[in-house]
Every structure is written in C-alpha cells, then in structure tokens.
C-alpha cells in the first residue's frame, strides 16, 4: 500500500483525450469540443499534482474531469490518489465503484488485489486499536456503611454516705460543694440593703405627711377654743386630728425601723463570710418618741449603732 503507484490508469492504458482514446464511457453523450478541452486541462493538472504527491489536489481535479466526461478510468485515478494519501476507506469505495463501471477492465485482477490488501489493512488497524484501548473497568458498588453502635454509658457510682468507710475502716471523705462567689453575694446583699433602706425612707415620708395633717387639725381645734367670741366646737376636727396623728406615729415608727434595718445591712454587707464568730456584727437601735400636746403633735427618734 505504501509503495509508489504507477501513473494514472489513463496513461497506463494509453488514454489520449486530445486524439480520442478510451476516455469516454459507452453510455455518455458526445462531448462538445469545449468540454473535451476543459476535461483535458483538468486531467493534466490532476496528473501533475499526482506526480508531485499533492494527492488532495489531484483528487479534486480528477473528480471534476469525471463529472464532465464520466470516464471510469477517472474513478481508478481517484482511488489511487486516496490510497497513496493513506485514506484506505475512500480508496476502497472508488476501487469498487471503478469495477462496477468497468467490469471488463483489463486491470481488474490488479484492482481486486489492491482491494484485498486494503481490506486486510483496515481490519488490522481496527484490531490494533481495539487491543490498545482497554475495556472499561467494571464499576464496583460502594461498600455499605456500617455504623458502630454508640458506646454503653459508664455507670456513675452513687456517693457514699457520711459514715461510710474505705478499706480498713477509714472514713471516706465527701467533697463539699464549692462555695458561692463572695462578689455575687455582696452585690445581691447591697441591692437588698438599699431596697430596704429606700422602703423605710418612703414609709417615714408618708408618716411625715400625716403628721403635718395632724398638726393642721390640732391648730384648727386650738384656734376654735381661743377665738373671741368662741367658735362652736367641731368634734370632727378633733377626730380627724387623732386619726392622722396615729397614722403619723405608726408610719414613722415602721419607716424608721425598716430604714434602720437597711442601714444595718449596708454596714455589715462587706464583712467576709470567714470572719471570726467571736465578734458579732454591730446592731442598730432606733428609739421613737411620739408626742402630742395642745396645739402641737409630733414625734422624736433616737438612732444608736
């Protein structure tokens, strides 16, 4: 197949387009002088390209010449060019087509031999390509994922009782829970202390309001008794004055006691939890002395820490 081919068949058979050889098929119509001239020019260009190895160009020119005259030798020339251009499949097609158009060709035996060689070459190439290309590897399904069971929980031993012993009668030590932070206790105690102190101040303030009202009622009763001429006595004023005075006394005492408690909490709030028990915290004492007289109602208080 790779050997240099003989000149095109038209030369091999002595075809002469200008003088009139075997270049026309028996069934083709008579060509005009212009067509003969064009066919001759195409053949000569194709043969020159064939001689210098420009097989693609030769194939194109031979095909144009065949389209004009329909001569079977052009099919042979096209097949030769394809074979030398290493296109065996196309060469086989045109060799077979040539034998179909020229069944009694003088070179039939040579053409059949070329067809057999090309068929063997195409088959060998196909087998070689199949041997080089490995078959696809079988797809292995993924192994099932086995999930391990969760570990069994570790039993936590129950705490030993207070009188439990370890080994030879040695008492077991029970860890006591950690003490709460001192800072958090102090902050909470300060809030409570200020709240208690504020509640006492507010209560005492409300009591002071009732003291002012009681003072006003007492002044009214005194003015009525000392007026000239005397004004008729109004028992309701006296009753209201007594009620206001009692409220004043009670609220003042209660407010003072609550405020004193708040003060005590504030004073003892910064002491450490680890302070010696021998020194008890100082206590505050509050003494309230109510007083009521003609034209004057009030109360006194004495605080000691």
């Amino acid at each position: 197949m790779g050997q240099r081919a003989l000149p095109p068949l038209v030369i091999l058979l002595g075809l002469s387009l200008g003088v009139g050889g075997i270049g026309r098929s028996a069934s083709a119509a008579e060509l005009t002088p212009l067509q003969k001239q064009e066919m001759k020019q195409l053949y000569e260009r194709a043969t020159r390209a064939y001689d210098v190895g420009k097989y693609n160009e030769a194939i194109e020119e031979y095909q144009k010449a065949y389209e004009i005259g329909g001569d079977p030798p052009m099919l042979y020339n096209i097949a030769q060019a394809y074979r030398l251009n290493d296109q065996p499949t196309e060469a086989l097609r045109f060799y077979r087509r040539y034998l179909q158009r020229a069944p009694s060709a003088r070179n039939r035996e040579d053409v059949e031999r070329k067809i057999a060689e090309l068929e063997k070459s195409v088959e060998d190439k196909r087998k070689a390509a199949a041997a080089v290309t490995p078959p696809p590897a079988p797809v292995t399904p993924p192994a099932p994922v086995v999930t391990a069971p969760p570990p069994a929980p570790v039993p936590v031993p129950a705490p030993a009782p207070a009188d439990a012993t370890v080994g030879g009668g040695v008492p077991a030590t029970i860890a006591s829970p950690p003490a709460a932070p001192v800072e958090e206790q102090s902050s909470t105690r300060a809030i409570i202390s200020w709240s208690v102190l504020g509640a006492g101040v507010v209560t005492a303030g409300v009591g002071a309001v009732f003291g002012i009202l009681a003072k006003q009622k007492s002044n009214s009763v005194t003015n009525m008794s000392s007026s000239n001429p005397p004004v008729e006595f109004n028992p309701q004023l006296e009753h209201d004055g007594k009620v206001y005075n009692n409220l004043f006394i009670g609220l003042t005492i209660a407010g003072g006691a609550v405020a004193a408690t708040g003060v005590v909490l504030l004073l003892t709030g910064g002491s450490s939890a680890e302070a010696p028990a021998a020194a008890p915290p100082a206590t505050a004492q509050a003494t309230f002395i109510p007083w009521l007289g003609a034209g004057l109602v009030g109360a006194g208080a004495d605080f000691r820490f």
Side-chain angles (χ1 to χ4, degrees), residues 18-39:
V19 179
I22 60 174
R24 295 194 304 268
S25 63
S27 60
E30 188 69 24
L31 299 178
T32 63
L34 184 60
Q35 288 176 325
K36 292 179 181 180
Q37 182 65 26
E38 183 180 0
M39 186 176 177

Side-chain angles (χ1 to χ4, degrees), residues 77-271:
N77 294 341
I78 295 171
Q80 286 285 83
Y82 271 124
R83 181 173 65 85
L84 296 175
N85 202 36
D86 198 18
Q87 294 177 265
T89 304
E90 295 296 326
L92 281 171
R93 185 166 69 88
F94 279 94
Y95 278 134
R96 290 166 181 158
R97 186 61 178 164
Y98 166 69
L99 293 181
Q100 290 175 358
R101 293 295 308 276
S104 59
R106 291 163 54 181
N107 63 337
R108 183 179 182 87
E109 183 178 350
D110 179 67
V111 173
E112 290 176 346
R113 180 178 57 80
K114 285 182 172 62
I115 290 175
E117 292 176 355
L118 287 173
E119 288 177 344
K120 184 177 182 304
S121 175
V122 171
E123 181 65 17
D124 291 343
K125 288 183 177 180
R126 185 190 66 80
K127 291 180 179 179
V132 172
T133 304
V139 179
T140 304
V145 179
V146 179
T147 304
V154 180
V156 180
D163 57 349
T165 60
V166 180
V170 180
T173 302
I174 306 300
S176 60
V182 178
E183 292 78 4
E184 183 178 355
Q185 293 181 354
S186 300
S187 176
T188 304
R189 186 166 182 174
I191 295 174
I192 296 175
S193 301
W194 282 108
S195 300
V196 172
L197 177 59
V201 172
V202 171
T203 304
V206 174
V209 172
F210 281 107
I212 294 173
L213 295 177
K215 175 66 174 176
Q216 292 177 353
K217 297 296 182 181
S218 176
N219 292 337
S220 298
V221 172
T222 302
N223 292 334
M224 291 175 59
S225 62
S226 61
S227 62
N228 189 16
V231 181
E232 183 180 359
F233 177 72
N234 186 357
Q236 184 63 35
L237 292 175
E238 184 179 9
H239 176 268
D240 293 343
K242 292 180 179 181
V243 171
Y244 291 156
N245 186 66
N246 292 333
L247 290 174
F248 161 70
I249 296 172
L251 291 176
T252 303
I253 294 174
V258 174
T261 303
V263 172
V264 172
L265 292 176
L266 285 175
L267 294 178
T268 60
S271 60

